[in-house]
Amino acid sequence: EAGVAQSPRYKIIEKRQSVAFWCNPISGHATLYWYQQILGQGPKLLIQFQNNGVVDDSQLPKDRFSAERLKGVDSTLKIQPAKLEDSAVYLCASSQRQGPSYEQYFGPGTRLTVT
Amino acid sequence: GNSVTQMEGPVTLSEEAFLTINCTYTATGYPSLFWYVQYPGEGLQLLLKATKADDKGSNKGFEATYRKETTSFHLEKGSVQVSDSAVYFCALRNNNAGNMLTFGGGTRLMVKP
């Protein structure tokens, strides 16, 4: 079974530029998550989707971050404009369903460096 | 709110040494507790979990016991190998709040031959 796919793996941009990350979850997984992992810290949830609907985006900085999952399968996370403090690894995860019984599977992440 | 605190690294051990990585938590209700591992260049993988007090999670020689009285979930392994070198994350999920995971800051383990 293929795992969670993410691209690109690495991205370097200048501040005030825009960037987008892509995630393809495990086939059949209804729930998709985006996490931000700043160097030396644990991952922090940015947004959670159930199919193509947003379940939780309370920690998403909505003035510059946006995410979509239009067809309920793959998802994109966008930052516009980027700030230096956005430098982090962006992790995508998926689970079969929402709820405590369902394990989250993580992709390899996209490492973003903002200069 | 929920929070997880784990010991800072790096932890450097020789092969076959005993490992303990401390983890304590603060949560409302009765959370499930997890240890995730992140090998170099790879995504987070679930290592073990425990869903209620006194449960012991175990996998690949690693163990952790859910201690409600001390709000702890320390990770242990009796004899580490070089291949165990990775970053370990303790996490909790409040079972009344969907599937959201709250992570600790991670502990890097380096095992030398």
Side-chain angles (χ1 to χ4, degrees):
Chain A
E1 176 181 78
V4 177
Q6 291 188 247
S7 68
R9 292 294 307 276
Y10 305 91
K11 190 74 177 178
I12 300 174
I13 62 172
E14 296 181 351
K15 60 184 179 184
R16 292 187 289 274
Q17 287 187 324
S18 302
V19 65
F21 312 126
W22 175 81
C23 172
N24 192 25
I26 292 173
S27 177
H29 279 197
T31 311
L32 185 147
Y33 315 78
W34 283 102
Y35 288 85
Q36 180 192 57
Q37 185 179 9
I38 293 172
L39 185 65
Q41 299 180 19
K44 181 186 80 173
L45 181 69
L46 292 176
I47 189 168
Q48 176 183 341
F49 290 95
Q50 179 69 14
N51 296 311
N52 62 351
V54 175
V55 174
D56 183 352
D57 64 356
S58 57
Q59 299 191 88
L60 186 74
K62 298 181 187 64
D63 57 332
R64 297 183 301 105
F65 286 64
S66 64
E68 59 184 17
R69 193 184 184 202
L70 293 175
K71 296 182 179 179
V73 181
D74 56 349
S75 175
T76 56
L77 176 70
K78 298 179 181 177
I79 307 175
Q80 180 179 11
K83 293 185 175 181
L84 295 177
E85 60 260 35
D86 298 332
S87 294
V89 176
Y90 291 85
L91 297 168
C92 180
S94 70
S95 62
Q96 193 173 11
R97 298 275 190 277
Q98 183 180 213
S101 304
Y102 298 100
E103 180 181 341
Q104 293 185 32
Y105 295 85
F106 286 81
T110 296
R111 182 178 297 278
L112 173 67
T113 302
V114 182
T115 63
Chain B
N2 297 336
S3 68
V4 177
T5 303
Q6 55 183 110
M7 60 190 292
E8 289 190 17
V11 174
T12 304
L13 296 173
S14 297
E15 207 165 20
E16 299 184 3
F18 185 86
L19 168 71
T20 300
I21 300 178
N22 291 337
C23 171
T24 57
Y25 68 90
T26 303
T28 55
Y30 301 97
S32 295
L33 301 174
F34 305 83
W35 278 100
Y36 281 83
V37 59
Q38 189 171 36
Y39 298 104
E42 298 183 17
L44 285 164
Q45 301 174 25
L46 179 63
L47 180 60
L48 54 84
K49 68 179 181 182
T51 58
K52 60 183 188 296
D54 299 325
D55 268 2
K56 178 185 284 188
S58 61
N59 186 25
K60 299 181 181 180
F62 290 89
E63 292 183 341
T65 301
Y66 189 142
R67 301 288 189 199
K68 185 180 175 184
E69 63 276 14
T70 55
T71 62
S72 64
F73 193 55
H74 304 321
L75 183 68
E76 297 182 335
K77 186 176 185 183
S79 176
V80 294
Q81 305 300 312
V82 172
S83 57
D84 293 327
S85 298
V87 181
Y88 293 82
F89 292 91
C90 185
L92 70 82
R93 182 176 61 207
N94 189 319
N95 294 324
N96 296 324
N99 230 14
M100 178 178 170
L101 286 166
T102 300
F103 287 89
T107 302
R108 180 175 298 277
L109 170 66
M110 296 190 293
V111 181
K112 297 184 175 181

